[in-house]
């Protein structure tokens, strides 16, 4: 219900939860299938402010106020008016210390409420000297490892981290596909952008924003498996991080 000008969120969501085997679009990591497996449930929250010019969306800007509201709303359980999510995918980032100080408590609140948080490490900017030696500070990926699983971009063929587009550093917990060649689910071709169906367009995107949802999809499968064993309420962020970092190939 949170319409935006950018297709970024739709592309990320498709990697996590697009339905498989339905002859439409891509197959999400935890998307279930058309034979009865429901797959992961997705919830969207708006984290950017929208600017208009002449009644038309001009740009969307990531703001700390929107992010903080989204973090709190998502982490509060449904019995208390929140969304009660189990996993949060953070495919975005702030680059300044002041923003980090304003919103760090929101991520800690999520952690204390049992939410597994997976964040994109960040992308190399070839025009920025800040990326010298492939390192660059960005949150939430660089927040305490105890509450954030940081995902870098993997090389598509040989494995390992792809420093051509992904930032590196000790903050990374694992790497996942995110480079050129990813195919994503984007908006369809209907006359009204607000009523279009989502479908496969063949667009390719590169960036760790698309690495993180691969990890998030696997985390959802871990929850699903343990849910079938009737023990999902005991799954912790640390449990998921251990499986992702020790069992990934």
């Amino acid at each position: 219900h949170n319409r935006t000008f950018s297709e970024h969120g739709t592309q990320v969501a498709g990697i996590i939860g697009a339905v498989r085997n339905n002859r439409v679009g891509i197959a999400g990591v935890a998307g279930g299938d058309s034979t009865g497996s429901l797959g992961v449930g997705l919830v969207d929250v708006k984290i950017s402010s929208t600017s208009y010019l002449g009644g038309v969306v001009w740009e969307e800007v990531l703001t700390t106020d929107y992010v903080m509201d989204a973090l709190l709303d998502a982490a509060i359980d449904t019995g208390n008016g929140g969304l009660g999510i189990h996993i949060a995918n953070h495919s975005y980032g702030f680059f300044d210390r002041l923003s980090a100080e304003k919103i760090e408590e929101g991520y800690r609140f999520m952690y204390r409420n049992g939410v597994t948080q997976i964040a994109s490490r960040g992308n190399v900017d070839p025009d920025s000297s800040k990326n010298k030696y492939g390192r660059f500070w960005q949150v939430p990926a660089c927040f305490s490892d105890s509450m954030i699983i940081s995902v870098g971009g993997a090389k598509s063929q040989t494995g390992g981290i792809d420093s051509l587009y992904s930032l590196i550093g000790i903050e990374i917990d694992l790497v996942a596909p995110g480079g050129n060649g990813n195919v994503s689910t984007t908006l369809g071709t209907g006359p009204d952008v607000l009523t279009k169906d989502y479908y496969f367009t063949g667009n390719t995107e590169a960036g760790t924003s698309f690495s993180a949802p691969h990890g998030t999809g696997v985390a959802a499968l871990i929850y699903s498996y343990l849910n079938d064993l009737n023990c999902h309420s005991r799954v912790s962020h640390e449990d998921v991080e251990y499986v992702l970092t020790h069992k990934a190939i």
Side-chain angles (χ1 to χ4, degrees):
H1 64 280
N2 292 308
R3 301 293 182 179
T4 66
F5 180 71
S6 170
E7 296 178 344
H8 182 270
T10 302
Q11 294 166 333
V12 169
I15 293 171
I16 299 171
V19 176
R20 303 190 299 267
N21 299 325
N22 64 351
R23 299 184 179 182
V24 177
I26 66 171
V29 175
D33 57 46
S34 56
T35 64
S37 175
L38 296 178
V40 65
L42 298 175
V43 176
D44 66 311
V45 288
K46 187 172 176 60
I47 60 172
S48 60
S49 62
T50 305
S51 299
Y52 295 87
L53 182 64
V56 178
V57 175
W58 180 250
E59 65 176 349
E60 296 196 29
V61 179
L62 187 68
T63 69
T64 55
D65 289 341
Y66 270 87
V67 170
M68 179 62 84
D69 288 345
L71 295 173
L72 299 180
D73 187 36
I76 295 172
D77 63 74
T78 54
N80 288 306
L83 297 172
I85 66 171
H86 295 122
I87 307 168
N89 184 89
H90 303 297
S91 287
Y92 60 90
F94 290 94
F95 307 104
D96 61 283
R97 302 281 176 175
L98 181 60
S99 293
E101 292 174 0
K102 288 182 179 179
I103 59 176
E104 182 173 8
E105 184 55 33
Y107 298 97
R108 293 195 181 281
F109 181 80
M110 273 199 153
Y111 175 69
R112 291 194 297 268
N113 278 267
V115 179
T116 295
Q117 301 184 81
I118 300 178
S120 57
R121 173 62 184 92
N123 304 328
V124 169
D125 181 355
D127 298 323
S128 174
S129 61
K130 295 179 181 179
N131 290 312
K132 190 176 181 180
Y133 308 121
R135 293 184 58 84
F136 191 43
W137 188 85
Q138 173 180 306
V139 296
C142 293
F143 277 142
S144 171
D145 182 61
S146 64
M147 64 179 180
I148 298 289
I149 299 172
S150 177
V151 184
K155 295 179 180 178
S156 58
Q157 300 297 326
T158 59
I161 190 167
D162 191 337
S163 58
L164 293 178
Y165 73 92
S166 174
L167 296 178
I168 62 176
I170 60 174
E171 297 85 2
I172 290 180
D173 293 298
L174 68 151
V175 295
N180 286 318
N182 280 345
V183 181
S184 59
T185 299
T186 53
L187 291 173
T189 57
D192 182 355
V193 70
L194 297 183
T195 59
K196 290 179 183 178
D197 292 326
Y198 296 136
Y199 87 127
F200 167 74
T201 64
N203 286 349
T204 58
E205 297 289 341
T208 57
S209 280
F210 308 105
S211 301
H214 282 87
T216 299
V218 176
L221 294 176
I222 294 171
Y223 270 86
S224 177
Y225 174 75
L226 295 175
N227 185 39
D228 290 340
L229 299 178
N230 294 318
C231 62
H232 73 283
S233 62
R234 295 193 297 273
V235 179
S236 69
H237 168 94
E238 290 80 8
D239 295 327
V240 175
E241 181 173 10
Y242 178 86
V243 174
L244 287 176
T245 56
H246 287 75
K247 302 299 181 181
I249 298 176

